[in-house]
Amino acid sequence: MDGSLNRFRASPVAGGWITLLRWFLAVVFLAPGLEKLAGRNIHHEGPEAVMPFFDALHAVPLYWTFLGVAQVAAGALLLFPRTATLGALLGLPVIANIAVLIVALPFTVSDRIAVGILCCGYATLLAWDWPRLQPVLAEPSASGSVPGALRHAWARPKFRASMAVAVGLWLVVHVLDRLGLI
């Protein structure tokens, strides 16, 4: 089975399909991301019931810009084979956020089908890049991995202390903000 999967991955047709899928998803992210970076509220063509939600998002410029940067970065990374895996990983939370919004808000059935297709496209990219992702997600080996490095870092008392300080500061700022003191 593994040999047939490798033959499929090596075929020019499969590689061409993945390239087209990456470019399609890049355009899907780049266009609205650039509009967000330009400061435009581009969501006035959807259902009337969702307009207040997008108007509220647009009214928070830092968040609106953050969404635009995330979309542009994911789309740009998808354009190049060397960075496509990173682009797919960066775009995954963005597409998940879009999917939750489409399901949670009163969008049309065609919008839900479209976001389902986008989610399937991202799942396809991640499945295609699985051999590149597997070492990062696997248990630590002699060559090392991210989970192994995190376990090693967590074992150091200074790292745990700095994490505790960061979480503590975040909690203090959050409480002060809730109390209206900052």
Side-chain angles (χ1 to χ4, degrees):
M1 177 80 172
D2 190 37
S4 62
L5 181 60
N6 287 336
R7 279 194 307 276
F8 172 73
R9 290 178 54 77
S11 77
V13 172
W17 168 250
I18 292 297
T19 300
L20 285 174
L21 182 60
R22 284 180 178 144
W23 279 74
F24 170 74
L25 292 171
V27 169
V28 165
F29 271 167
L30 284 171
L34 290 171
E35 291 286 328
K36 284 181 180 80
L37 289 179
R40 295 188 195 110
N41 188 350
I42 59 172
H43 298 287
H44 285 292
E45 59 272 352
E48 193 66 33
V50 300
M51 290 310 125
F53 177 79
F54 288 111
D55 288 340
L57 282 180
H58 184 256
V60 184
L62 182 61
Y63 187 66
W64 193 252
T65 302
F66 171 75
L67 291 175
V69 167
Q71 286 180 308
V72 168
L77 289 169
L78 283 170
L79 293 173
F80 305 100
R82 289 186 68 144
T83 59
T85 303
L86 182 59
L89 287 174
L90 181 61
L92 189 62
V94 177
I95 200 70
N97 184 42
I98 292 169
V100 168
L101 289 176
I102 295 291
V103 170
L105 295 173
F107 278 92
T108 64
V109 173
S110 62
D111 291 329
R112 292 173 186 211
I113 291 170
V115 83
I117 291 169
L118 291 176
C119 288
C120 288
Y122 262 93
T124 301
L125 288 184
L126 292 174
W128 180 264
D129 289 332
W130 178 248
R132 293 178 75 186
L133 295 171
Q134 204 169 9
V136 175
L137 301 173
E139 286 297 315
S141 63
S143 64
S145 68
V146 172
L150 289 176
R151 250 187 245 111
H152 178 69
W154 190 254
R156 295 176 25 209
K158 286 183 181 178
F159 181 79
R160 288 195 311 265
S162 64
M163 293 278 86
V165 168
V167 169
L169 286 173
W170 178 82
L171 284 172
V172 167
V173 169
H174 180 71
V175 168
L176 291 175
D177 183 48
R178 289 300 221 176
L179 294 174
L181 300 173
I182 57 172

